Amino acid sequence: SSSSTRQEQPRAPATMAEEDKLSSGSLPDEDVVSASSDDSGDSGPYVKHDDYKEITVRAVVLAAVLAVILGAANVYLGLLVGLTVSASIPASVISMAALQCFPDSNILENNIVQTAASAGEALAAGVIFTIPGLIILNRRALNGEEGFEDVEGWDSFLGTNYLFVTFLALFGGLIGILFSIPIRRALILEIQPPLKFPEGVATAQVLRAGETGGRVVYSVIAGGVLGATTKIFETIQLYDPVVGGGWFYKDRFPSYFGANFSSALLAVGYIVGPQVGTVLLLGALSQYFVAIPLSTYIHDFPAANGTSVLDVAQEEFTRTRYIGVGLMVIGGVWALISVRHALTQAIKFGLRTFKKTADEASVAVVPRYEQDLSFKVLLSGTAICLFGLYIIFGIFSGAWGKVIVLIVVVVILAFLFSAVAAYMAGLLGSSNNPISGVTICSSIGVSGLILGLFGSDPVGPPLAVMVCCAIACACAISGDNIQDLKCGHILGATPWRQEVIMMVGVTSTSFVIAPILQLLEEAYTIGGTDPGSLAAPQANVISTIPVGIINGGLEWDYIGIGLGLGAIVIMIDQVLAKYEVGFRLPVLGFAVAFYLPIFYITPIFFGGFIHILARTSADNHSSEGVLYAAGLVAGDALTGILTAIPVVIASSATVLVPDAWEGRELESWPALLVGLVVLASLFYVGKYQPITGGNISSHDKSLEH
């Protein structure tokens, strides 16, 4: 039936019963869906005509540059605290500002730019959650840690390893794009009640607001300037950014509390909000005020004898962080269990609807804004990517026959977890997508398979990490791609053009991510626990699991405690959900905090708490406060990467420190003042929106449908 003959009515918000139905992933039957797609209340895309150019030379160039820049920023942030933030809205704002110079630019061209640019951020997540584990394997082997003695890790991301990193990211990312195509219609148009797609809706809102001009880009620039300034202050050692202290109970059992007042960490807290910040703080407090003191008691830790609280706590932290491994493992398994019904139906329905498209002789009857890449492109592209992965795994392991089994596993897990990522992106948003959880699940399965195929061969653990990298990149890109396709659906973009330009973003980022990792490794050390290092929590876990399964020798007692604690956290969260308490306790967020030093977690909580003080909503992803916070993150992170260049060239961590300041004891109290300035600016911009006047802050719920 045609919907053009009647008045369109917006769909009412989902009732509580419908939300419960959503959590179980209900999809209507095929006959019902075919009718509901016409009666969905969707008034059609923002742009219905075919006059606008979408993919232009300037858009491709700008998209590739932004993909690299925003991807680099998220590499730094993800290695620092294990979290990444969506780049779609900052990319949209920057694109609008840049393309305003061209009078014939349009909203669909801006959408193309943000689609490709956000791919850099998504691909960064897939790589940094896995590949740095190869460097960590090598470091642990050199240190003679039990179980790691004969493991073959990497000592660099460059040389031959550059090709491995580049093409693992490239082929994994392309597979993620291709595997998200069959389920696009099912997740964006057909599933009932509709998924929220928070970043996709917010990005469409920003782009529509930008059609009338505006000053939104100045919010990002202002945040970027302040973020870069504070990072420079830290680099030249104007002050120590970490403020903290603690005590010994009976001169033996340490408890420590501290905060790194980094602009990026405070801004991340504002972006993720008080809910996530509180969960992270609870995990960190459980680690430093319960697990570490109890662990020192169990191991009969000697008296402090003048050693600082932080040193003792961090030494014991090397053991208790394995509790975080157990938490992440059970969290990843639970992430799959919790959406099993929804994903089974979504995959079946997506394949069924895509098969119909494949059987059509022509797409002439399909509207421009509903045309995906053809079924032939999907199959041929997937085959090429899988053959490329086969070559990579075969060259690395030398076992060409056994690698065929790994390729089959990659196909199965990549498609399954890509569907999980796409569904969760629509449900919770890309920034809250449990990519690390499903990657850990894949690590367990892949490691068990490699143990069966290769035995205790030293090539096993690093090969498991590489396989997990391909799967993680596919998951991360799939979740990001479906969010961008939702934005395009609202605006009237052409899906196949978005899918092509996403490939441009993946390709441009793939070729630069290895040098960025090498730069950060040499300047800061990836996987360390010191305040100046990059913790890389997920990569640490991904490197630990295959060694434990293949070689044994891990802290299995602590991992077991983590599994038990994770089960308790899940039960608490389910009770909170049953009684509809406003607060939830997701196990993966709790787990990440357990694996990170507390001084990285505390500022995230402070940043999120600003929403409570300012009475603003963390769910409004297009608010001026969020744009300003995104600028803070980008300014801090990109400055951290740029200042690493002279550090590496001079082989000196103090090359940028004035000679008169070298050797002096750093004071930490100025960090409090800097932190207060950043928090005050977040409060002011978030509450009063002085730059945009609130022109883009009101959330238009009609866009969700």
Coordinates of all heavy atoms in Angstrom, one line a residue, residues 140 143 145 148 287-288 291-292 295-296 299 301 310-325 527-530 540 544 554-555 557-559 594-597:
R140 N 56.9 -9.2 28.0 CA 56.8 -10.2 29.1 C 57.7 -11.3 28.9 O 58.2 -11.9 29.9 CB 55.3 -10.7 29.2 CG 54.3 -9.6 29.7 CD 52.9 -10.2 29.8 NE 52.0 -9.3 30.5 CZ 50.8 -9.7 30.8 NH1 50.3 -10.8 30.4 NH2 50.0 -8.8 31.5
N143 N 61.1 -10.2 30.1 CA 61.1 -10.1 31.5 C 61.1 -11.5 32.2 O 61.1 -11.5 33.4 CB 60.0 -9.2 32.0 CG 60.1 -7.8 31.6 OD1 61.2 -7.3 31.3 ND2 59.0 -7.1 31.6
E145 N 58.5 -13.6 32.5 CA 57.3 -13.9 33.2 C 56.9 -15.4 32.9 O 57.0 -15.9 31.8 CB 56.2 -13.0 32.8 CG 56.4 -11.6 33.3 CD 55.1 -10.7 33.1 OE1 54.0 -11.3 33.1 OE2 55.3 -9.5 32.8
F148 N 55.4 -17.0 29.6 CA 55.7 -16.2 28.5 C 57.1 -16.4 27.9 O 57.5 -15.8 27.0 CB 55.5 -14.7 28.8 CG 54.1 -14.2 29.1 CD1 53.5 -14.4 30.3 CD2 53.4 -13.6 28.0 CE1 52.2 -14.0 30.5 CE2 52.1 -13.2 28.2 CZ 51.5 -13.4 29.5
Q287 N 39.0 -2.3 43.3 CA 40.4 -2.8 43.1 C 41.4 -2.3 44.2 O 42.1 -3.1 44.9 CB 40.9 -2.4 41.7 CG 42.4 -2.6 41.4 CD 42.7 -4.1 41.3 OE1 42.8 -4.8 42.2 NE2 42.9 -4.5 40.0
Y288 N 41.4 -1.0 44.4 CA 42.4 -0.4 45.2 C 42.1 -0.3 46.7 O 43.0 -0.1 47.6 CB 42.7 1.1 44.7 CG 43.6 1.1 43.6 CD1 43.2 0.9 42.3 CD2 45.0 1.3 43.7 CE1 44.0 0.9 41.2 CE2 45.8 1.3 42.7 CZ 45.4 1.1 41.4 OH 46.2 1.1 40.3
A291 N 40.6 -5.3 46.7 CA 41.4 -6.4 46.1 C 42.9 -6.3 46.5 O 43.5 -7.3 46.9 CB 41.2 -6.4 44.6
I292 N 43.4 -5.1 46.3 CA 44.9 -5.0 46.5 C 45.2 -5.2 48.0 O 46.2 -5.9 48.3 CB 45.4 -3.6 46.0 CG1 45.4 -3.6 44.5 CG2 46.8 -3.3 46.6 CD1 45.8 -2.3 43.9
S295 N 45.0 -8.9 48.7 CA 46.0 -9.7 48.1 C 47.3 -9.6 48.8 O 48.1 -10.5 48.9 CB 46.2 -9.1 46.6 OG 47.2 -9.9 45.9
T296 N 47.6 -8.4 49.3 CA 48.9 -8.3 50.1 C 48.8 -9.1 51.4 O 49.8 -9.6 51.9 CB 49.1 -6.8 50.5 OG1 48.0 -6.3 51.2 CG2 49.4 -5.9 49.3
H299 N 49.3 -12.8 50.4 CA 50.7 -13.1 50.0 C 51.7 -12.7 51.1 O 52.9 -12.8 50.9 CB 51.1 -12.4 48.7 CG 50.4 -13.0 47.5 ND1 49.2 -12.6 47.0 CD2 50.8 -14.0 46.7 CE1 48.9 -13.3 45.9 NE2 49.9 -14.2 45.8
F301 N 52.6 -9.9 52.4 CA 53.4 -8.8 51.8 C 54.3 -8.2 53.0 O 53.7 -7.9 54.0 CB 52.6 -7.8 51.2 CG 53.4 -7.0 50.1 CD1 53.5 -7.4 48.8 CD2 54.0 -5.8 50.4 CE1 54.2 -6.7 47.9 CE2 54.7 -5.1 49.5 CZ 54.8 -5.5 48.2
L310 N 51.9 4.2 46.6 CA 51.6 3.9 45.2 C 52.5 2.8 44.7 O 52.0 1.9 43.9 CB 51.9 5.2 44.4 CG 51.7 5.1 42.9 CD1 50.3 4.6 42.5 CD2 52.0 6.4 42.2
D311 N 53.8 2.8 45.1 CA 54.7 1.7 44.6 C 54.2 0.4 45.0 O 54.2 -0.6 44.3 CB 56.1 2.0 45.1 CG 56.7 3.2 44.4 OD1 56.3 3.6 43.3 OD2 57.7 3.8 44.9
V312 N 53.9 0.3 46.3 CA 53.4 -1.0 46.8 C 52.1 -1.5 46.2 O 51.9 -2.6 45.8 CB 53.2 -1.0 48.4 CG1 52.7 -2.3 48.9 CG2 54.6 -0.7 49.0
A313 N 51.2 -0.5 46.0 CA 49.9 -0.8 45.4 C 50.1 -1.2 44.0 O 49.4 -2.2 43.5 CB 49.0 0.4 45.5
Q314 N 50.9 -0.6 43.2 CA 51.1 -0.9 41.8 C 51.8 -2.2 41.7 O 51.6 -3.0 40.7 CB 51.9 0.2 41.1 CG 51.1 1.5 40.9 CD 49.9 1.3 40.1 OE1 48.8 1.0 40.7 NE2 50.0 1.5 38.8
E315 N 52.7 -2.6 42.6 CA 53.4 -3.9 42.5 C 52.4 -5.0 42.7 O 52.4 -6.0 42.0 CB 54.5 -4.0 43.6 CG 55.3 -5.3 43.5 CD 56.4 -5.3 44.5 OE1 56.8 -4.3 45.0 OE2 57.0 -6.4 44.7
E316 N 51.5 -4.8 43.7 CA 50.4 -5.8 43.9 C 49.4 -5.8 42.8 O 48.8 -6.8 42.5 CB 49.8 -5.6 45.3 CG 49.0 -6.8 45.8 CD 49.8 -8.0 46.1 OE1 51.1 -7.8 46.3 OE2 49.3 -9.1 46.0
F317 N 49.2 -4.7 42.2 CA 48.3 -4.5 41.1 C 48.6 -5.4 39.9 O 47.8 -5.9 39.1 CB 48.3 -3.0 40.6 CG 47.4 -2.7 39.4 CD1 46.0 -2.8 39.6 CD2 47.9 -2.4 38.2 CE1 45.2 -2.5 38.5 CE2 47.1 -2.2 37.1 CZ 45.7 -2.2 37.3
T318 N 49.9 -5.7 39.7 CA 50.3 -6.7 38.7 C 49.7 -8.0 38.8 O 49.6 -8.8 37.9 CB 51.9 -6.8 38.6 OG1 52.3 -7.3 39.8 CG2 52.5 -5.4 38.3
R319 N 49.3 -8.4 40.1 CA 48.6 -9.7 40.3 C 47.1 -9.5 40.2 O 46.4 -10.2 39.5 CB 49.0 -10.2 41.7 CG 50.4 -10.7 41.9 CD 50.5 -11.5 43.2 NE 51.9 -11.9 43.5 CZ 52.7 -11.2 44.4 NH1 52.2 -10.2 45.0 NH2 53.9 -11.6 44.6
T320 N 46.6 -8.5 41.0 CA 45.2 -8.4 41.1 C 44.5 -7.9 39.8 O 43.3 -8.1 39.6 CB 44.8 -7.4 42.2 OG1 45.4 -6.1 41.9 CG2 45.3 -7.8 43.6
R321 N 45.3 -7.4 38.8 CA 44.6 -7.0 37.6 C 44.1 -8.2 36.8 O 43.3 -8.1 36.0 CB 45.6 -6.2 36.7 CG 46.8 -7.0 36.2 CD 47.9 -6.2 35.5 NE 47.3 -5.3 34.5 CZ 48.1 -4.5 33.8 NH1 49.4 -4.5 33.9 NH2 47.6 -3.6 32.9
Y322 N 44.6 -9.4 37.2 CA 44.1 -10.6 36.5 C 42.6 -10.9 37.0 O 41.9 -11.6 36.3 CB 45.0 -11.8 36.9 CG 46.2 -11.9 36.1 CD1 47.4 -11.4 36.6 CD2 46.2 -12.5 34.8 CE1 48.6 -11.5 35.8 CE2 47.4 -12.6 34.1 CZ 48.6 -12.1 34.6 OH 49.7 -12.1 33.8
I323 N 42.2 -10.3 38.0 CA 40.8 -10.3 38.4 C 40.0 -9.7 37.3 O 38.9 -10.1 36.9 CB 40.5 -9.6 39.7 CG1 41.2 -10.4 40.8 CG2 39.0 -9.6 40.0 CD1 41.1 -9.7 42.2
G324 N 40.6 -8.6 36.7 CA 39.9 -7.9 35.6 C 39.8 -8.8 34.4 O 38.9 -8.7 33.6
V325 N 40.8 -9.7 34.2 CA 40.8 -10.6 33.0 C 39.5 -11.5 33.2 O 38.8 -11.7 32.2 CB 42.0 -11.5 33.0 CG1 41.9 -12.5 31.9 CG2 43.3 -10.6 32.7
G527 N 51.2 -0.6 27.5 CA 51.0 -1.7 28.3 C 51.6 -1.6 29.7 O 51.5 -2.6 30.5
G528 N 52.2 -0.4 30.0 CA 52.8 -0.3 31.3 C 51.8 0.1 32.4 O 50.6 0.4 32.1
T529 N 52.2 0.2 33.7 CA 51.3 0.6 34.8 C 51.8 1.9 35.4 O 51.1 2.3 36.3 CB 51.3 -0.5 35.9 OG1 52.6 -0.8 36.3 CG2 50.7 -1.8 35.3
D530 N 52.9 2.5 35.0 CA 53.3 3.7 35.5 C 52.4 4.9 35.1 O 51.8 4.8 34.0 CB 54.8 4.0 35.1 CG 55.7 3.0 35.6 OD1 55.4 2.4 36.7 OD2 56.7 2.7 35.0
N540 N 46.3 -5.9 26.8 CA 46.9 -6.8 27.8 C 46.1 -8.1 28.0 O 46.7 -9.1 28.2 CB 47.0 -6.0 29.2 CG 48.3 -5.4 29.4 OD1 49.3 -6.1 29.5 ND2 48.4 -4.1 29.5
T544 N 47.1 -12.0 27.2 CA 47.2 -12.9 28.3 C 46.4 -14.2 28.0 O 46.8 -15.3 28.4 CB 46.6 -12.2 29.6 OG1 47.4 -11.1 29.9 CG2 46.6 -13.2 30.8
L554 N 49.4 -18.9 34.2 CA 48.9 -17.6 34.6 C 48.4 -17.6 36.0 O 48.4 -18.7 36.7 CB 47.7 -17.2 33.6 CG 48.1 -17.0 32.2 CD1 46.9 -16.6 31.4 CD2 49.1 -15.9 32.0
E555 N 48.0 -16.4 36.5 CA 47.4 -16.3 37.8 C 46.0 -16.8 37.8 O 45.0 -16.0 37.8 CB 47.5 -14.9 38.3 CG 48.9 -14.3 38.3 CD 49.6 -14.7 39.7 OE1 49.0 -15.3 40.5 OE2 50.8 -14.3 39.8
D557 N 44.2 -18.3 39.9 CA 43.3 -18.1 41.1 C 42.7 -16.7 41.0 O 41.5 -16.5 41.3 CB 44.2 -18.2 42.3 CG 45.5 -17.4 42.3 OD1 45.8 -16.9 41.2 OD2 46.2 -17.3 43.3
Y558 N 43.4 -15.7 40.5 CA 42.9 -14.4 40.4 C 41.8 -14.3 39.3 O 40.8 -13.6 39.4 CB 44.0 -13.3 40.2 CG 44.8 -13.0 41.4 CD1 46.0 -13.6 41.7 CD2 44.3 -12.1 42.3 CE1 46.7 -13.3 42.8 CE2 45.0 -11.8 43.5 CZ 46.2 -12.4 43.7 OH 46.9 -12.1 44.8
I559 N 42.1 -15.0 38.2 CA 41.2 -15.0 37.1 C 39.9 -15.7 37.5 O 38.8 -15.2 37.2 CB 41.8 -15.8 35.9 CG1 43.0 -15.0 35.3 CG2 40.7 -16.0 34.8 CD1 43.7 -15.7 34.1
F594 N 38.6 -2.3 36.6 CA 39.4 -3.2 37.5 C 40.8 -3.4 36.9 O 41.7 -3.8 37.6 CB 38.7 -4.5 37.7 CG 38.7 -5.0 39.1 CD1 37.6 -4.7 39.9 CD2 39.7 -5.8 39.6 CE1 37.5 -5.1 41.2 CE2 39.6 -6.2 40.9 CZ 38.5 -5.9 41.7
Y595 N 40.9 -3.2 35.6 CA 42.2 -3.5 34.9 C 43.0 -2.2 34.7 O 44.2 -2.3 34.2 CB 41.9 -4.1 33.6 CG 43.0 -5.0 33.1 CD1 43.1 -6.3 33.5 CD2 44.0 -4.6 32.2 CE1 44.2 -7.1 33.1 CE2 45.0 -5.4 31.7 CZ 45.1 -6.7 32.2 OH 46.1 -7.5 31.8
L596 N 42.5 -1.0 35.0 CA 43.2 0.2 34.8 C 43.6 0.8 36.2 O 42.9 0.7 37.2 CB 42.2 1.2 34.1 CG 42.1 1.1 32.6 CD1 41.0 2.1 32.2 CD2 43.4 1.5 31.9
P597 N 44.7 1.5 36.2 CA 45.1 2.3 37.4 C 44.1 3.3 37.7 O 43.5 3.9 36.9 CB 46.4 2.9 37.0 CG 47.0 2.1 35.9 CD 45.8 1.6 35.1

